[in-house]
């Protein structure tokens, strides 16, 4: 992953205005394959009348019921994670490769700080959210929003971050458990850039972000948020929706 060093380099170039900153389907069965009615006939309650050569004209026509055809076992799995019912920070969705001016609400969140190398970013972020989720379960708390990552410092070989999961309210005794503490998510005016694609393709969205900030001469804080509308899966081909928030000064 190189997007964060690219972002930092782009923001440095703006000084002094900017601070450093498909679901697979199985093929239908062959036309000469026997139907379920032929291979598993329904039982009859009367002996059929063989004296007639044709159907009884007075008998009602049988109801035609469509037969579900499950996908074949060799069908390709979906590469798009299922949608989540948890809300995002801003209710109305954004458009891919577009910029929205939004206002972020302050949300109570469970926080786990960490650092990672670029090539290990996805795995370490997933591990952080897993730890937060397990801690919330032990405390009897439930997630109330999509996972967030606040990137606090970026370097050539990696970055520091605070992984967050929104909750309804912080516990009364808000101590630290398994490294997880409680606080509030960043709030206020923000610029939202929506990324739709694989995690590895997010560099292009950051290039759009840098170009937009450059053209508009917008000074931003040297930190930003990523909100994972779809879960960070293990597959590199997973199609993801990620909201990127730049926080103006």
């Amino acid at each position: 992953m190189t997007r964060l060093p690219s972002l930092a380099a782009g923001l440095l170039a703006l000084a002094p205005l900017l601070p450093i900153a498909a679901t697979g389907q199985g093929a239908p069965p062959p036309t000469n394959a026997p139907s379920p009615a032929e291979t598993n006939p329904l039982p009859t309650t009367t002996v059929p009348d063989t004296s007639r050569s044709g159907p009884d004209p007075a008998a009602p026509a049988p109801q035609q019921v469509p037969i579900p055809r499950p996908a074949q076992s060799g069908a390709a799995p979906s590469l798009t994670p299922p949608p989540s019912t948890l809300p995002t920070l801003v209710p109305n969705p954004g458009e891919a490769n577009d910029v929205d001016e939004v206002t972020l609400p302050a949300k109570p969140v469970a926080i786990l700080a960490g650092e990672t190398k670029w090539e290990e970013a996805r795995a370490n972020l997933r591990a952080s959210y897993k730890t937060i989720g397990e801690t919330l379960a032990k405390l009897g708390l439930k997630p109330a929003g999509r996972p967030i990552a606040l990137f606090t410092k970026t370097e050539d070989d990696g970055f520091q971050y605070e992984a967050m999961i929104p909750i309804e309210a912080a516990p009364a005794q808000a101590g630290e458990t398994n490294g997880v503490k409680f606080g509030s998510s960043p709030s206020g005016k923000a610029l939202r850039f929506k990324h739709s694609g694989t995690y590895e393709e997010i560099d292009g969205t950051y290039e759009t972000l840098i170009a937009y900030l450059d053209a508009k001469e917008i000074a931003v804080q040297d930190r930003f948020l990523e909100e994972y509308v779809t879960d960070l899966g293990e597959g590199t081909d997973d199609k993801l929706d990620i909201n990127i928030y730049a926080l103006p000064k």
Side-chain angles (χ1 to χ4, degrees), residues 52-106:
R52 297 183 180 185
S53 59
D56 184 355
Q63 183 180 5
Q64 298 297 319
V65 179
I67 301 172
R69 302 183 184 276
Q72 294 181 353
S73 58
S78 171
L79 297 179
T80 302
S84 170
T85 58
L86 293 173
T88 55
L89 292 172
V90 179
N92 58 306
E95 296 293 333
N97 299 317
D98 199 1
V99 182
D100 294 314
E101 295 183 4
V102 300
T103 300
L104 296 176

Side-chain angles (χ1 to χ4, degrees), residues 76-140:
S78 171
L79 297 179
T80 302
S84 170
T85 58
L86 293 173
T88 55
L89 292 172
V90 179
N92 58 306
E95 296 293 333
N97 299 317
D98 199 1
V99 182
D100 294 314
E101 295 183 4
V102 300
T103 300
L104 296 176
K107 294 280 190 179
V109 291
I111 307 168
L112 181 60
E115 57 182 315
T116 180
K117 302 296 184 183
W118 292 108
E119 61 272 15
E120 301 169 351
R122 186 208 303 249
N124 286 328
L125 284 170
R126 283 203 324 269
S128 294
Y129 293 127
K130 182 175 183 293
T131 299
I132 296 175
E134 292 172 347
T135 301
L136 292 179
K138 290 180 181 178
L139 297 175

Side-chain angles (χ1 to χ4, degrees), residues 145-157:
R146 298 302 302 156
I148 309 165
L150 175 64
F151 296 86
T152 57
K153 183 178 180 180
T154 63
E155 298 175 340
D156 290 341
D157 59 345

Side-chain angles (χ1 to χ4, degrees), residues 174-213:
E176 186 172 318
T177 304
N178 296 331
V180 177
K181 58 184 180 180
F182 297 91
S184 296
S185 62
S187 60
K189 298 295 183 181
L191 297 173
R192 178 178 62 182
F193 300 74
K194 180 180 178 181
H195 169 72
S196 291
T198 68
Y199 194 63
E200 284 66 25
E201 294 170 339
I202 201 170
D203 287 356
T205 304
Y206 275 91
E207 291 174 1
T208 302
L209 180 155
I210 294 171
Y212 182 86
L213 296 175

